[in-house]
Amino acid sequence: MAIADVLTEARDKMSKAVEVAKEDFSTVRTGRANPALFQKLMVEYYGTPTPLAQLAGLQNPEARVLIITPYDKAALKDIEKAIVAASHLGATPNNDGTIIRVTMPELTEDRRKEYVKLVRAKGEDAKVAIRNVRRKAKDDLDGLLKEVSEDDVARAEKELDSATKNHIDAIDEALKRKEAELLEV
């Protein structure tokens, strides 16, 4: 394995960690009804846990209202049950026999602060993942010392540190945006 391969692999994994963190941030609710909140909600469908996104279409006609249109009307009750069971959403589903209209309550200040803590924890997890990628890449670079010069390895480590810093900054930036969104009243 060459130095360039190690650095490329590390950058790819770090970028994936940033994407996963941003995706995680989008599942934390703000004052709006966001379809991303419901994407990963698991519904017991014919005895099999299935993501809601595979069972229904999600529309967002108003800021705090989400309309869920099941592809199979038989799944209406199961979807409604899953939404009620997902206490972290605090949502109230209304089933009219065809669609489910979900109204999201206003967030209290305490709830907002809880969500900020949750987002910070998710951000920290992502940073740890990036640092682990850096550690593995550094070990791989140290393993190349027999084949390449110390100067080349030192240069590669500087590049690796720079990539690590850039990816951690990207997570911090996404975290800052999400916190502002959560604390906005």
Side-chain angles (χ1 to χ4, degrees):
M1 188 184 265
I3 289 177
D5 297 339
V6 172
L7 291 174
T8 302
E9 184 181 336
R11 274 195 212 96
D12 289 347
K13 287 182 178 177
M14 287 178 186
S15 294
K16 283 187 183 115
V18 170
E19 288 309 307
V20 167
K22 286 179 180 177
E23 201 176 289
D24 269 355
F25 292 166
S26 75
T27 64
V28 176
R29 149 175 147 61
T30 57
R32 295 177 205 81
N34 182 347
L37 293 172
F38 294 84
Q39 294 288 335
K40 294 179 180 176
L41 186 65
M42 297 308 267
V43 178
E44 226 12 79
Y45 183 61
Y46 291 111
T48 308
T50 311
L52 177 59
Q54 293 178 11
L55 297 175
L58 306 169
Q59 287 106 19
N60 195 201
E62 298 169 37
R64 289 185 26 232
V65 176
L66 188 74
I67 293 180
I68 300 171
T69 313
Y71 304 130
D72 175 7
K73 300 293 179 228
L76 263 171
K77 288 260 184 267
D78 296 329
I79 292 171
E80 186 177 15
K81 206 182 305 174
I83 293 169
V84 170
S87 59
H88 69 284
L89 294 173
T92 320
N94 294 324
N95 179 347
D96 72 1
T98 319
I99 62 169
I100 296 174
R101 187 178 303 271
V102 180
T103 307
M104 302 300 278
E106 282 290 332
L107 288 176
T108 63
E109 190 171 336
D110 290 343
R111 197 79 166 135
R112 288 176 191 274
K113 286 178 182 168
E114 259 178 59
Y115 284 143
V116 166
K117 282 182 192 166
L118 178 68
V119 168
R120 284 185 181 154
K122 287 176 183 274
E124 199 50 49
D125 290 346
K127 289 179 191 178
V128 166
I130 287 174
R131 289 185 198 113
N132 287 340
V133 169
R134 183 200 172 282
R135 188 177 310 114
K136 185 190 178 317
K138 184 170 177 345
D139 290 346
D140 290 348
L141 288 173
D142 289 343
L144 293 175
L145 274 174
K146 297 172 192 91
E147 302 161 29
V148 294
S149 72
E150 279 185 35
D151 289 347
D152 288 342
V153 170
R155 254 191 303 278
E157 282 180 12
K158 278 187 183 152
E159 219 174 297
L160 181 63
D161 289 343
S162 167
T164 303
K165 184 187 179 320
N166 290 342
H167 286 88
I168 284 181
D169 289 348
I171 287 175
D172 285 338
E173 190 58 41
L175 185 60
K176 208 179 295 174
R177 277 196 304 274
K178 187 63 178 187
E179 281 183 26
E181 195 180 310
L182 280 168
L183 295 172
E184 167 190 316
V185 178

